């Protein structure tokens, strides 16, 4: 499992490629989230320190953009599309089915820590609506059966 | 019998989502098993998403055979019957349905045909010729004149004349200027920019470099939304390849012009597609729009003159410079020249990516190119332009695709999202869908947008639930007009469009 906080050694490795200026805040937060899955408070503070930006500004950025997570997600993040094309082709039902299969609401993580369920607006895969994305992989033409298969194939898999 | 030389597989996000990655690996291992000297190529999206996964087989004599809905199981037959024995597998071929016959491919000329990770393939099809021509045969102002003569207008939604925008930035004397490519593609239901970035990334870089030369910029940013990891990866590889070939970086192609591009990944905020919010985001701040003027061409990124163009706008530029403005202006209408790429989705048979000459009607797009509605259901309307656009009912479907004609319907051209709705779609539900979207995506800076859209949504919800008072609809329309008039940025100013067009065309 990944560490939840930045270690002295790894932080340099993660931050060093970026100039220590406030313009680096977003890419740095993205790096931290890619590595750890979310933005822990101590990591937000460290990014603020490194970029010479006030903590409030870093926190403001982290909460403004929907990509950022402030709590620890499950091993795989399921992002189900509720964009226009998916909406008119029954995406709401797919969301309900996911909730039922995983027994969680959107924004929550399953008890076994495998899956976190999130909602997004369009994955750019509208021609194969309804669609979802697990970690970085998109799946389209979803039906109830397909959703079940997709979840089964990811369960137990390591994070990509 | 003609020998098969090359097999292409569509591996854009849409292909992968339909299972093309598994088909690709099975094909590679199967060919290795037969020891066949056939090249397997990964290509972007040709637009026929409805037939994904797609496998295209090219023979020595130049003929193509396209297989659709290919499964891992089908691979064995395609290899043994077609690639080995030279006999196409008739029952697996995608039917000839006229999908391409009325399309004109400028922006998409290479999409789905070349390996997007191969600079050589892009160059073999005229890639970087436009940049070369600009640098060695034209002055920056001649480049702007050429774009002006082509009539190219911004494809990001508003349709602003590209040459005029470039002219404003060129006039500025600042020693530092920027070119920004807007790949935020926030309209939910649109995927034109993703397909171009994934299928032909060098074209966008070439367009940016030509723009930079025209205005005198030496730095560029490509802002791509976070939901497009594959587009970011392909663009990144293209940048590295272009630098190695001397097409980006110092002294491009040995000239005195230097230009380089950095990718900025978006972080999930619809409003960041708006140019001033996008600038704030690149600068590392919350993506909130600011009042214009000053326009970015005067004071943009870090206060410096900045040209912001949409991906598709920039993807037109190399073609125009290479083929000439007149060739481009041959297509289209009086005031809308060239082509427009649309992402066809919803209840349509041929959901996918299409490029049509401006002036084609909505009906022709839906029926002639799109193959009509699914399951023979009655065509009801199209939603065009996403959250800023509106619904055009079947009764107005003969409206030509042209900036002014579409605006007259109360919708807009938008960036290219085109969602087909049939008799089973509830129009009020669609209007409410967009209001819900806008209300959640409003950045909260100005009151009309923040509170107004919330009140509109509540009102519409009451109407849907049958709990509305007698004048609820009038009050909703009145509020819509106020939000339109008083919001700070385009998000709020256009947010009521879906409601207004719906109430106008579907009063009941
Ligand atoms: C709320 C809002 C969202 C926008 N989203 C996008 C977008 O996703 N992509 C885009 O290219 N332009 C978007 N625009 C338009 C940009 O502000 C800008 O006009 C455009 O990028 C200019 O490029 P063009 O002249 O090549 O069209 C948006 C505008 C508004 C008001
Ligand atoms: S609307 Fe779902 S992928 Fe675009």
């Amino acid at each position: 499992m990944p560490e939840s906080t930045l270690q002295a050694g790894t932080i340099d490795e993660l931050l060093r490629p970026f100039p220590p200026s406030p313009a680096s805040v977003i890419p740095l937060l993205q790096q931290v989230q890619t590595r750890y899955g979310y933005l822990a408070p101590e990591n937000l503070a460290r990014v603020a320190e490194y970029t010479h930006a006030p903590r409030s500004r870093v926190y403001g950025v982290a909460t403004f953009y929907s990509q950022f997570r402030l709590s620890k997600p499950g091993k795989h993040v399921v992002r189900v599309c509720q964009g226009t094309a998916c909406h008119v082709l029954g995406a709401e039902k797919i969301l309900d089915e996911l909730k039922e299969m995983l027994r969680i609401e959107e924004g929550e993580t399953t008890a076994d820590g495998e899956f976190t369920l999130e909602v997004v607006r369009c994955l750019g895969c509208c021609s194969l609506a309804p669609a979802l994305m697990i970690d970085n992989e998109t799946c389209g033409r979803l039906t109830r059966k397909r959703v079940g298969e997709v979840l089964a194939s990811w369960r137990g898999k390591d994070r990509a | 019998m003609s020998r098969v030389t090359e097999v292409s597989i569509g591996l854009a996000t849409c292909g992968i989502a339909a299972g093309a990655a598994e088909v690709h690996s099975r094909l590679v291992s199967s060919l290795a098993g037969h020891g066949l000297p056939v090249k397997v190529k990964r290509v972007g999206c040709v637009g026929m998403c409805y037939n994904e996964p797609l496998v295209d087989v090219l023979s020595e004599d130049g003929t193509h055979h396209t297989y659709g809905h290919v499964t891992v199981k089908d691979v064995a037959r395609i290899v043994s019957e077609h690639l080995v024995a030279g006999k196409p597998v008739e029952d697996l071929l995608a039917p000839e349905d006229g999908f391409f016959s009325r399309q004109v491919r400028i922006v998409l000329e290479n999409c789905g045909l070349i390996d997007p990770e191969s600079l050589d393939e892009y160059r073999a099809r005229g890639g970087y010729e436009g940049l070369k021509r600009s640098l060695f045969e034209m002055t920056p102002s001649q480049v702007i004149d050429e774009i002006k003569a082509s009539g190219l207008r911004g494809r990001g939604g508003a349709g602003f004349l590209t040459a005029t925008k470039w002219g404003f930035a060129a006039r500025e004397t600042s020693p530092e200027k920027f070119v920004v490519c807007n790949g935020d593609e926030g309209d939910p239901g649109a995927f034109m920019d993703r397909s171009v970035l994934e299928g032909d990334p060098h074209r966008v870089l070439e367009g940016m470099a030509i723009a930079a030369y025209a205005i005198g910029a030496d730095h560029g940013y490509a802002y791509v939304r976070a939901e497009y990891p594959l587009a970011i990866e392909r663009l990144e590889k293209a940048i590295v390849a272009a630098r190695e070939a001397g097409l980006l970086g110092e002294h491009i192609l040995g000239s005195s012009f230097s230009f380089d591009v950095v990718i900025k990944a978006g972080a999930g905020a619809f409003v960041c597609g708006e140019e001033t919010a996008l600038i704030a985001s690149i600068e590392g701040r919350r993506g909130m729009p600011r009042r214009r003027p000053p326009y970015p061409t005067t004071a943009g990124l870090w206060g410096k003159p900045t040209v912001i163009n949409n991906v598709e706008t920039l993807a037109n530029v190399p073609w125009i410079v290479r083929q000439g403005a007149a060739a481009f202006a041959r297509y289209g209408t009086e005031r809308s020249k060239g082509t427009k790429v649309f992402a066809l989705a919803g209840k349509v048979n041929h959901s996918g990516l299409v490029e049509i000459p401006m002036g084609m009607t909505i009906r022709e797009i839906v029926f002639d190119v799109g193959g009509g509605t699914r399951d023979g259901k009655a065509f009801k309307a199209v939603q065009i332009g996403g959250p800023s656009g509106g619904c055009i009912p079947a009764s107005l479907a003969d409206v030509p695709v042209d900036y002014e004609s579409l605006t007259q319907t109360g919708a807009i051209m938008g960036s290219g999202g085109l969602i087909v709705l049939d008799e089973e779609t509830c129009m009020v539900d669609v209007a409410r869908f967009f209001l819900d979207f806008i209300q959640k995506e409003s950045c909260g800076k100005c009151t009309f947008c923040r509170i107004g859209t919330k009140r509109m949504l509540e009102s519409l919800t009451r109407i849907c639930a049958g709990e509305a008072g007698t004048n609820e609809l009038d009050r909703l329309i009145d509020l819509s007009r106020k939000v339109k008039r008083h919001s700070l940025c385009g998000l709020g100013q256009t947010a009521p469009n879906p409601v207004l067009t719906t109430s106008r065309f579907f009063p009941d």
Side-chain angles (χ1 to χ4, degrees):
Chain A
M1 273 318 277
E3 289 292 335
S4 64
T5 53
L6 284 176
Q7 304 293 309
T10 56
I11 184 158
D12 283 351
E13 175 197 319
L14 219 51
L15 304 191
R16 211 184 304 118
F18 295 85
S21 78
S24 303
V25 168
I26 295 174
L28 279 176
L29 294 180
Q30 285 168 330
Q31 290 285 314
V32 173
Q33 178 154 309
T34 305
R35 175 77 68 92
Y36 301 99
Y38 78 112
L39 305 173
E42 57 274 31
N43 295 348
L44 284 176
R46 189 65 187 89
V47 167
E49 197 181 353
Y50 180 79
T51 56
H52 309 289
R55 279 190 194 194
S56 60
R57 173 161 156 189
V58 173
Y59 187 77
V61 166
T63 51
F64 180 84
Y65 294 99
S66 65
Q67 183 194 20
F68 296 123
R69 261 179 235 114
L70 299 180
S71 58
K72 194 172 169 152
K75 205 154 87 191
H76 304 296
V77 177
V78 180
R79 302 201 283 169
V80 56
C81 179
Q82 301 288 305
T84 325
C86 291
H87 178 80
V88 303
L89 289 171
E92 226 166 335
K93 229 168 60 213
I94 299 293
L95 175 60
D96 288 342
E97 273 152 11
L98 274 164
K99 287 181 184 170
E100 188 193 309
M101 287 179 200
L102 298 172
R103 273 177 267 146
I104 48 173
E105 290 300 307
E106 61 175 275
E108 294 179 355
T109 301
T110 51
D112 61 5
E114 281 285 323
F115 297 107
T116 294
L117 181 60
E118 291 181 355
V119 162
V120 290
R121 303 294 192 159
C122 195
L123 296 165
C125 194
C126 327
S127 51
L128 273 77
L132 64 72
M133 192 180 218
I134 294 198
D135 296 347
N136 263 353
E137 208 172 294
T138 316
C139 315
R141 294 193 188 123
L142 296 175
T143 55
R144 186 184 167 84
K145 182 159 159 270
R146 182 93 181 96
V147 170
E149 288 166 4
V150 168
L151 289 181
S153 75
W154 282 81
R155 194 175 289 279
K157 231 199 243 185
D158 284 336
R159 196 200 307 262
Chain B
M1 182 190 106
S2 174
R3 205 174 60 84
V4 169
T5 53
E6 193 176 273
V7 179
S8 305
I9 306 185
L11 283 165
T13 294
C14 42
I16 293 171
E22 290 80 8
V23 171
H24 175 256
S25 50
R26 176 62 64 91
L27 195 71
V28 170
S29 63
S30 175
L31 281 174
H34 282 87
L36 279 180
V38 173
K39 181 176 171 200
V40 178
K41 191 160 103 178
R42 305 152 162 264
V43 296
C45 173
V46 269
M48 284 181 143
C49 308
Y50 58 100
N51 279 333
E52 296 276 14
L54 283 164
V55 172
D56 185 84
V57 176
L58 173 69
S59 303
E60 219 165 20
D61 63 3
T63 53
H64 283 268
H65 289 88
T66 306
Y67 294 100
H69 290 282
V70 178
T71 64
V72 172
K73 263 198 352 248
D74 298 334
V75 172
R77 282 188 67 203
I78 296 175
V79 171
S80 64
E81 294 176 32
H82 194 167
L83 307 195
V84 177
K87 221 171 119 311
V89 192
E90 297 291 339
D91 59 301
L92 297 179
L93 290 174
E96 177 42 59
D97 54 15
F99 180 68
F100 292 107
S101 61
R102 300 203 56 194
Q103 295 195 44
V104 172
R105 315 272 281 193
I106 291 177
V107 171
L108 303 180
E109 77 179 322
N110 295 333
C111 254
L113 301 182
I114 65 166
D115 175 351
E117 294 185 12
S118 165
L119 174 59
D120 289 342
E121 289 197 20
Y122 179 62
R123 295 191 86 169
R125 290 177 58 91
Y128 289 106
E129 289 300 320
L131 177 61
K132 219 172 171 175
R133 186 160 175 242
S134 305
L135 296 183
F136 299 105
E137 295 169 32
M138 299 164 90
T139 64
S141 68
Q142 281 171 332
V143 173
I144 296 180
D145 288 344
E146 190 75 23
I147 298 298
K148 185 170 179 190
S150 77
L152 178 67
R153 295 171 69 170
R155 302 296 195 237
F160 194 77
L161 280 165
T162 305
T164 308
K165 189 184 278 190
W166 292 10
F168 288 150
R171 225 170 45 194
E172 299 288 331
T173 51
S174 165
E176 216 181 352
K177 297 181 191 176
F178 297 99
V179 168
V180 174
C181 167
N182 188 343
D184 197 46
E185 193 154 68
D187 168 5
F191 52 93
M192 307 75 51
D193 297 347
R194 169 183 71 68
S195 300
V196 174
L197 289 167
E198 286 180 358
D200 201 7
H202 282 288
R203 169 179 297 268
V204 181
L205 294 177
E206 186 182 357
M208 288 180 76
I210 295 172
Y213 174 71
I215 70 161
D218 56 6
H219 282 288
Y221 287 91
Y223 190 91
V224 185
R225 69 195 295 239
E227 288 81 357
Y228 291 176
L230 187 62
I232 292 174
E233 187 191 317
R234 297 241 170 101
L235 191 62
E236 190 79 72
K237 286 184 181 159
I239 291 173
V240 171
R243 276 186 201 141
E244 277 170 8
L247 295 160
L248 280 181
E250 298 289 317
H251 301 291
I252 292 178
L253 295 168
S255 70
S256 59
F257 171 65
S258 300
F259 176 68
D260 211 340
V261 177
V262 171
I263 299 179
K264 286 279 177 179
F270 172 66
V271 73
C272 283
E274 195 279 337
E275 53 190 26
T276 60
L278 190 150
I279 287 171
S281 181
I282 294 182
E283 291 174 353
R285 292 180 285 121
R286 288 187 289 165
M288 291 207 183
R290 62 158 173 80
R291 204 169 276 287
R292 300 173 307 177
Y295 286 91
T297 44
T298 317
L301 200 52
W302 290 296
K304 305 284 189 263
T306 303
V307 156
I308 300 180
N309 275 133
N310 168 262
V311 170
E312 188 183 331
T313 313
L314 291 165
N316 272 299
V317 167
W319 195 96
I320 295 170
V321 176
R322 178 159 45 91
Q323 311 269 0
F328 185 82
R330 230 186 29 232
Y331 299 108
T333 62
E334 187 59 37
R335 295 179 60 193
S336 303
K337 297 295 182 195
T339 60
K340 180 77 196 87
V341 180
F342 284 102
L344 262 183
K347 312 261 184 106
V348 64
N349 279 317
H350 301 166
S351 59
L353 204 66
V354 306
E355 180 170 2
I356 51 103
M358 297 269 193
M360 189 183 267
T361 68
I362 296 286
R363 191 182 307 280
E364 290 169 317
I365 297 176
V366 172
F367 288 92
D368 297 354
V369 182
T373 43
R374 288 191 191 177
D375 306 322
K377 297 260 163 53
F379 167 51
K380 190 171 192 176
V382 294
Q383 206 290 334
I384 185 168
S388 313
C391 286
I392 298 179
S395 60
L396 289 184
D398 292 314
V399 60
V401 168
D402 147 298
Y403 290 94
E404 282 69 32
S405 308
L406 288 171
T407 305
Q408 259 171 31
T409 67
I412 57 167
M413 171 82 79
S415 58
L418 195 71
I419 308 228
V420 178
L421 310 173
D422 69 12
E423 53 187 321
E424 290 185 348
T425 324
C426 166
M427 301 310 293
V428 181
D429 175 65
V430 173
R432 195 168 52 155
F433 169 82
F434 282 114
L435 255 188
D436 179 58
F437 175 87
I438 284 296
Q439 188 251 317
K440 288 188 180 129
E441 293 291 337
S442 167
C443 77
K445 185 165 169 176
C446 71
T447 324
F448 268 95
C449 180
R450 185 179 66 235
I451 314 273
T453 56
K454 195 162 169 83
R455 294 284 168 271
M456 285 170 62
L457 180 62
E458 289 164 2
S459 168
L460 199 59
T461 306
R462 278 196 298 275
I463 294 174
C464 288
E467 291 162 6
T470 42
N471 52 4
E472 181 88 44
L473 186 60
D474 294 335
R475 280 187 18 220
L476 173 61
I477 291 172
D478 178 56
L479 181 59
S480 298
R481 299 215 170 102
K482 286 189 177 130
V483 171
K484 221 175 146 93
R485 195 160 341 118
H486 300 292
S487 289
L488 174 70
C489 84
L491 186 130
Q493 286 158 10
T494 56
N497 285 358
V499 172
L500 289 172
T501 57
T502 303
S503 67
R504 182 153 140 217
F505 299 124
F506 301 93
D508 33 59

